[in-house]
């Protein structure tokens, strides 16, 4: 009989392991699309500030996470959506699962970075940046580009890589900001000219910078953090913020309506707009919408101006989200890529 | 073995219970029920999206997709690329397997493991290896003065050749493992030349294996989006379009339409399989003598050269990544360092332990379910055998992300009693079993098809029941193959990602996800280093199993048949 008891206990223990443990009362699950290392740094700060809340974090890329949230929408598994691209957040299948909540101190965020219905608020963001391989442009005798327009020069033919807007949010925001900036007619004409020099549209927002860093191509259009990191890593690249104004994307937070632990989830969201959080954001993010902290020296060394608002193009995010399907279809038809 | 899982069945009277018919249906149910729950249900859940358009239920998504000229370009791209990759893969893998089975090539065991290397290297590593080797700034161009541009059609074909090679090899190796020595002796006695013997004896005897290898390679490359994404440049295929729709734009409906289109090759493969299986004659019968390979210098040197050439190609792609993982900043700063092995990713290297547990469990469950499925389809004839064998090979026609999202839809639903599994390792293990089911099923089937019916007949005539025949005759003959299937499952479960990514949660992180996290955040070299650790673990586990085999007196059993 003893052995049966032992067997049962073992079986129960195995079942517990298989089913992934039992949730504690103040445990919340947070889904985030922040890059893994910045998410880990922010989370460490959050745990310091909220010792009584256990935060379980799942990090996936924006596209993977959006697909997962939509598929789970019948029975959501998370309490908080954190650091998630606004142009995906406004998708009714995702914002529909959120509940209006105004965290303590949310007024510090300018109103244009908040949902009018209070379902989400954006505290951080990222912007378009070009990674230029110094070794390769020297070898090919190219001029260091300063703008998108410089990349249309015939000398750059086959040396530019961009993210594919059909698969990458970064890619979409790059072309959409140009279309918003120039108006669609001029904008498409400009993209036509740019397209002649593009060697390939890579299906990820960060890979073009990695390809330029590896010396596969001279210029990779990507976003600022990837450029800064690759410079710090030692790759012979320079970061160029296009002088026309950089397209950008905001990363927003929101409360999941189906959350079973809203008190703890709200505590976490309150923290995301706190001074302590702002300080953590500033050491990783070029775009922070709340006051606090200062830009780290490596950002400045990489070429970011202290006041980034001067180089940012004021993107209309709602329009960007609404136009997405139409613009991507037009883009695919025109360039057949 | 899973019979106990159906408490609904009333205890049958002893006479009926022992009857072959009843046992046949019981075995069929043991395979069919989990398949309905864990394959058909999730697939239906996601494919139903293809009927959900902006204007309600209907064929809108289909007409929209089929009406676009872009779609037909993608179909042509996909088919041409997949045919070229498949032919290349099967020819190379057949030669490799043939060389190892039918000539005296030194270090056979080593070359078998080399053939499987691409299986347990995360696909990310292989694409990276190819770019480091033959990219625009790769070794050939930068250091050896070539001017290769790998991105595009040929890049995809080459990376797919590498990726599909081990699958084709495993099947063809099972097909070539056994042969009836008498046939070869009489052919030689009749004065037939080697080429003629190959054409009239070897080739017909392995036709089921060849067809299965073609099917597996074709469905594998036509549904894979990883390689075209990394090395395809602007060469787009149907699978990358599924990725664009589902991950890029969260359009499940349009993605599901292409998912449905990709099922066609599986249906086609099923028809071909049936025709070929009918013509296949068994190689091993009760009177067979094992084929003894006698040394022949010219032949052995030629095949050794071929095997070494292919093997070195496979090794070099991985070796360069391993070397790069020990270098400070490839290709700019070549000083050696261990800094990429200081993993600062979430949970560090702990997810590797989760992966070992998950992979080991997947191997056991996979051998049991896929192996039993093959036995039921090949040896137990019931009216359900046909539909069962179609379902068995269906998973290879499904892109991983489609199956993964199907699992979310099916098992996260509050109405599904199985939803207790959601968020657990158990569901990840089950997903691994069914995601890799086709290959495991076909490897086992190929092996079963080499065993003649005369064994079964003899056994039955001597009064043995079907279950006894299976236990006493069939299992002992194919258990080395089943061991290989277990190894296959273990390797695949250690690294496959595209489906699993939708099921992991903060408590069930596996190693392949860590690799993705590192690569996503740009730490490419750390990602490679992490992959090297995974590969080392797999090799270590193989060595351990080998030790156990030797210690228990099974020295002659190879892990990979």
């Amino acid at each position: 009989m003893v052995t049966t008891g032992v067997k049962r206990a073992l079986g129960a223990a195995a079942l517990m392991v298989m089913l992934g443990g039992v949730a504690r009362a103040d445990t919340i699950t947070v889904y985030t699309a922040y890059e893994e290392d910045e998410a880990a740094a922010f989370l460490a700060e959050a745990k310091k500030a909220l010792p009584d809340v256990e935060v379980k974090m799942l990090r996936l890329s924006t596209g993977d996470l959006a697909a997962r949230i939509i598929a789970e929408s019948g029975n959501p598994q998370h309490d908080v959506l954190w650091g998630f691209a606004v142009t995906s957040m406004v998708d009714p299948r995702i914002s529909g699962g959120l509940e209006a909540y105004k965290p303590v101190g949310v007024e510090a965020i300018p109103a244009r970075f908040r949902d009018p219905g209070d379902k989400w608020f954006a505290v951080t963001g990222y912007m378009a940046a070009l990674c230029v391989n110094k070794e390769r442009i020297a070898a090919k005798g190219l001029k260091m580009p300063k703008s998108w327009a410089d990349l249309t020069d015939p000398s750059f033919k086959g040396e530019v890589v961009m993210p594919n807007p059909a698969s990458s949010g970064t890619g979409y925001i790059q072309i959409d900001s140009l279309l918003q900036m120039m108006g669609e007619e001029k904008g498409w004409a400009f993209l036509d000219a740019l397209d002649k020099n593009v060697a390939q549209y890579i299906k990820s927002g960060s890979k073009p910078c990695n390809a330029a860093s590896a010396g596969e191509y001279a210029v990779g259009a990507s976003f600022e953090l990837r450029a800064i990191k690759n410079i710090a890593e030692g790759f012979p690249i320079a970061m160029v913020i296009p002088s026309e104004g950089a397209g950008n994307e905001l990363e927003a937070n929101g409360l999941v309506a189906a959350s079973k632990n809203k008190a703890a989830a709200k505590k976490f969201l309150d923290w995301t707009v706190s001074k302590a959080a702002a300080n953590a954001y500033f050491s990783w993010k070029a775009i922070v919408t709340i006051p606090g902290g200062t830009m780290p020296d490596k950002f400045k060394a990489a070429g970011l101006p202290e006041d980034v608002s001067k180089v940012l193009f004021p993107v209309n995010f709602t329009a960007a989200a609404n136009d997405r399907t139409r613009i991507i279809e037009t883009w695919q038809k025109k360039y057949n890529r | 073995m899973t019979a106990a899982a159906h408490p609904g069945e009333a205890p049958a009277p002893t006479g009926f219970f022992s009857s072959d018919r009843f046992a046949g249906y019981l075995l069929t149910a043991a395979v069919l029920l989990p398949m309905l729950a864990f394959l058909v249900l999730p697939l239906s859940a996601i494919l139903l999206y293809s009927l959900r358009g902006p204007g309600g239920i209907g064929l809108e998504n289909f007409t929209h997709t089929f009406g676009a000229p872009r779609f037909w370009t993608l179909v042509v791209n996909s088919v041409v690329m997949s045919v070229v990759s498949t032919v290349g893969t099967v020819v190379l893998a057949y030669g490799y397997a043939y060389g190892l089975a039918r000539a005296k090539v030194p270090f056979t065991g080593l070359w078998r493991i080399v053939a499987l290397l691409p299986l347990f290297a995360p696909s990310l590593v292989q694409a990276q290896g190819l770019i480091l080797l033959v990219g625009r700034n790769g070794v050939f161009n930068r250091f050896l003065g070539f001017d290769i541009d790998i991105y595009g059609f040929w890049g995809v074909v080459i990376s797919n050749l590498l990726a599909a090679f081990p699958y084709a090899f495993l099947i063809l190796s099972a097909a070539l493992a056994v042969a009836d020595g008498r046939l070869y002796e009489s052919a030689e006695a009749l004065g037939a030349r080697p080429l003629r013997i190959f054409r009239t004896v070897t080739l017909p005897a392995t036709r089921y294996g060849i067809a299965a290898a073609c099917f597996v390679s074709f469905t594998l490359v036509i549904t894979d989006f990883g390689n075209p994404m990394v090395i395809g440049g602007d060469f787009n295929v149907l699978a990358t379009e599924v990725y664009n729709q589902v991950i890029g734009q969260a359009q499940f409906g349009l993605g599901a339409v292409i998912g449905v289109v990709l099922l066609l090759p599986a249906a086609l493969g099923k028809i071909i399989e049936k025709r070929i299986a009918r013509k296949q004659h068994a190689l091993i019968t009760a009177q067979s003598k094992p084929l003894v390979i006698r040394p022949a210098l010219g032949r052995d040197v030629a095949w050794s050269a071929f095997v070494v050439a292919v093997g070195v190609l496979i090794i070099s792609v991985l070796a360069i990544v391993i070397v790069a993982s020990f270098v400070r900043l490839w290709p700019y700063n070549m000083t050696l360092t261990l800094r990429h092995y200081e993993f600062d990713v979430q949970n560090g290297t702990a997810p590797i332990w989760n992966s070992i547990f998950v992979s080991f469990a997947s191997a056991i469950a996979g051998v049991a379910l896929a192996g039993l499925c093959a036995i039921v389809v090949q040896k137990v004839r019931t009216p359900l055998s046909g539909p069962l064998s179609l379902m068995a090979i269906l998973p290879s026609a499904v892109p991983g992300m489609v199956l993964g999202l199907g699992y979310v839809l099916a098992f996260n639903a509050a109405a599904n009693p199985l939803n207790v599994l959601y968020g657990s390792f158990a569901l990840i293990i089950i997903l691994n079993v069914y995601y890799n089911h086709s290959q495991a099923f076909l490897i086992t089937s190929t092996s079963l098809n080499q065993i003649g019916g005369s064994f079964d007949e003899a056994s039955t005539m001597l009064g043995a029941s079907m279950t006894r025949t299976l236990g006493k005759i069939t299992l002992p003959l194919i258990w080395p193959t089943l061991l290989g299937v277990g190894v296959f499952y273990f390797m695949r479960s250690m690294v496959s990602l595209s489906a699993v990514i939708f099921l992991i949660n903060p408590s069930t992180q596996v190693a392949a996800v860590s690799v993705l996290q590192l690569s996503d955040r740009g730490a490419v070299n750390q990602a490679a280093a992490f992959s090297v650790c995974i590969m080392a673990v797999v090799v270590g586990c193989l060595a351990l199993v080998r030790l156990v085999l030797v210690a228990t007196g099974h020295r002659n059993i190879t892990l990979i048949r």
Side-chain angles (χ1 to χ4, degrees), chain B residues 208 211 215 263-279 386 389-390 393:
Chain B
Y208 182 85
F215 171 77
L263 293 180
L264 287 179
L268 213 66
K270 174 71 202 97
I271 298 166
I272 297 169
E273 188 227 2
K274 219 172 166 181
R275 290 182 69 97
I276 299 227
R278 214 181 293 138
K279 285 186 192 159
S389 68
L390 174 61
I393 60 167

Side-chain angles (χ1 to χ4, degrees), chain A residues 33-316:
Chain A
Y34 277 134
E35 296 224 339
E36 193 269 337
D37 45 0
E38 56 188 30
F42 300 158
L43 189 61
E45 287 299 317
K47 282 184 171 162
K48 259 188 246 163
L50 307 165
D52 50 341
V53 179
E54 187 176 340
V55 183
K56 296 196 157 208
M57 181 182 77
L58 176 70
R59 186 269 155 196
L60 292 175
S61 69
T62 311
D64 286 342
L65 195 55
R68 173 127 171 202
I69 292 171
I70 293 169
E72 282 184 345
S73 58
N75 182 16
Q77 299 290 318
H78 57 309
D79 304 282
V80 171
L81 185 52
W82 183 36
F84 188 69
V86 164
T87 46
S88 296
M89 193 79 116
V90 296
D91 183 326
R93 292 170 299 173
I94 290 175
S95 61
L98 299 176
E99 182 179 298
Y101 175 63
K102 286 176 87 162
V104 182
V106 77
E107 295 76 18
I109 306 173
R112 67 192 170 97
F113 298 135
R114 284 187 269 148
D115 174 35
D118 289 323
K119 283 193 166 176
W120 51 261
F121 52 93
V123 199
T124 58
Y126 55 88
M127 61 189 186
L130 306 176
C131 297
V132 185
N133 189 306
K134 293 186 280 194
E135 189 190 74
R136 195 162 180 106
I137 58 166
K140 300 260 161 190
L142 297 168
K143 242 178 59 197
M144 177 63 86
K146 294 267 171 268
S147 60
W148 286 110
D150 286 352
L151 297 182
T152 59
D153 188 275
S155 60
F156 278 98
K157 189 165 177 56
E159 286 295 337
V160 181
V161 282
M162 286 179 73
N164 188 319
S167 54
S168 150
T170 307
Y172 173 65
I173 209 75
Q174 284 177 4
I175 65 158
D176 188 59
S177 60
L178 287 169
L179 291 171
Q180 286 193 6
M181 197 185 299
M182 302 179 181
E184 291 217 2
E185 197 178 327
K186 274 190 174 164
W188 283 116
F190 179 78
L191 290 178
D192 288 347
L194 188 58
D195 178 70
K196 290 196 178 67
N197 285 347
V198 175
Q200 53 166 306
Y201 294 92
I202 301 181
K203 287 183 183 57
S204 127
S206 52
K207 286 217 171 75
C209 186
N210 292 344
S213 302
E216 293 285 294
Y217 297 94
V219 183
S222 189
F223 54 94
E224 94 288 357
L225 190 68
R226 179 46 40 85
I228 292 169
K229 276 198 215 169
N230 283 7
I231 292 170
E233 187 77 2
F235 286 106
I237 57 161
M239 176 173 76
V240 174
I241 306 296
S243 61
E244 289 95 343
N248 51 88
E249 172 72 282
L250 294 173
E251 294 154 319
N253 315 330
L255 175 66
V256 178
S259 165
K260 288 182 189 72
N261 197 351
K262 282 192 187 139
K266 285 177 179 172
K267 271 193 217 167
F268 182 83
L269 286 167
D270 289 349
W271 174 81
T272 63
V273 295
S274 69
K275 178 92 178 127
N279 287 336
Y281 294 144
F282 266 97
S283 48
W284 289 89
K285 295 297 204 182
I287 301 176
V288 183
T289 64
I290 47 175
T294 47
M295 181 181 278
D297 289 336
K298 66 172 180 182
F299 285 26
K300 288 179 230 162
L304 272 189
E306 197 138 358
D307 181 6
V308 287
S309 65
K310 289 199 178 102
V311 294
L312 293 180
F313 171 73
V315 178
N316 179 342

Side-chain angles (χ1 to χ4, degrees), chain A residues 18 36 72 77 213 216 337, chain B residues 151 234 412 422 424 521:
Chain A
M18 300 279 267
E36 193 269 337
E72 282 184 345
Q77 299 290 318
S213 302
E216 293 285 294
R337 305 242 207 175
Chain B
Y151 300 99
D234 289 318
N412 187 39
Y422 194 73
S424 69
R521 73 173 212 219

Side-chain angles (χ1 to χ4, degrees), chain A residues 18-19 35-37 56-61 63-64 67-68 70-72 75 77 93 133 135-136 158-159 166-167 199-201 203 206 213-217 226 229 233-236 324-325 328-329 332 337, chain B residues 64 70 131 135-138 142 151 229 233-234 236 240-241 243-244 246-252 329 332 339 345-346 357 405 408-409 412 420 422 424-426 501-507 517 520-522:
Chain A
M18 300 279 267
L19 296 179
E35 296 224 339
E36 193 269 337
D37 45 0
K56 296 196 157 208
M57 181 182 77
L58 176 70
R59 186 269 155 196
L60 292 175
S61 69
D64 286 342
R68 173 127 171 202
I70 293 169
E72 282 184 345
N75 182 16
Q77 299 290 318
R93 292 170 299 173
N133 189 306
E135 189 190 74
R136 195 162 180 106
E159 286 295 337
S167 54
Q200 53 166 306
Y201 294 92
K203 287 183 183 57
S206 52
S213 302
E216 293 285 294
Y217 297 94
R226 179 46 40 85
K229 276 198 215 169
E233 187 77 2
F235 286 106
R324 191 165 183 155
T325 310
I328 288 174
E329 276 191 5
Q332 286 185 325
R337 305 242 207 175
Chain B
H64 181 84
R70 178 183 168 80
I131 290 177
R136 286 161 55 105
N137 200 25
R142 187 182 175 96
Y151 300 99
M229 265 178 66
D234 289 318
N236 284 300
T240 53
E241 192 64 13
Y243 183 91
N244 283 349
V246 175
I247 307 298
Q249 299 160 54
Q251 302 277 1
F252 289 10
L329 195 68
Y332 305 108
R339 70 174 185 140
V345 66
Q346 201 180 11
F357 164 67
L405 282 169
V408 177
L409 290 169
N412 187 39
V420 292
Y422 194 73
S424 69
F425 279 123
I501 187 87
F502 294 106
L503 290 187
I504 53 140
N505 67 23
S507 330
Q517 303 283 30
D520 267 3
R521 73 173 212 219

Side-chain angles (χ1 to χ4, degrees), chain B residues 161-250:
Chain B
L161 267 181
L162 271 176
F165 182 84
Y167 292 87
F169 169 79
L170 275 174
I171 293 170
L172 294 168
S173 181
L176 286 160
V178 281
D180 189 346
R182 293 171 308 147
L183 276 174
Y184 288 84
E185 279 168 19
S186 28
E188 270 169 38
L190 291 168
R193 294 188 168 278
L195 201 63
R196 191 177 157 84
I197 299 181
F198 176 77
R199 208 159 41 80
T200 52
V201 181
T202 313
L203 209 51
T206 49
R207 70 174 4 131
Y208 182 85
I210 295 172
C214 285
F215 171 77
V216 164
S217 307
F218 188 86
T219 49
L220 196 74
V221 299
I222 205 168
T223 54
D224 172 67
F225 63 91
N227 286 329
M229 265 178 66
V230 177
I231 209 163
D234 289 318
F235 179 75
N236 284 300
V237 288
L238 289 171
T240 53
E241 192 64 13
V242 178
Y243 183 91
N244 283 349
Q245 295 292 353
V246 175
I247 307 298
Q249 299 160 54

Side-chain angles (χ1 to χ4, degrees), chain B residues 3-64:
Chain B
H6 317 301
E9 318 235 20
T14 338
F16 184 57
F17 187 79
S18 68
S19 85
D20 280 359
R21 252 184 65 151
F22 182 76
Y25 276 108
L26 208 62
L27 284 177
T28 307
V31 175
L32 190 62
L33 292 180
M35 207 180 261
L36 289 175
F38 296 110
L39 180 63
V40 177
L41 178 71
L43 267 188
S44 320
I46 183 85
L47 295 182
L48 270 181
Y49 265 89
S50 65
L51 299 173
R52 267 199 230 170
I57 302 289
L59 294 176
E60 201 181 339
N61 287 330
F62 285 89
T63 50
H64 181 84

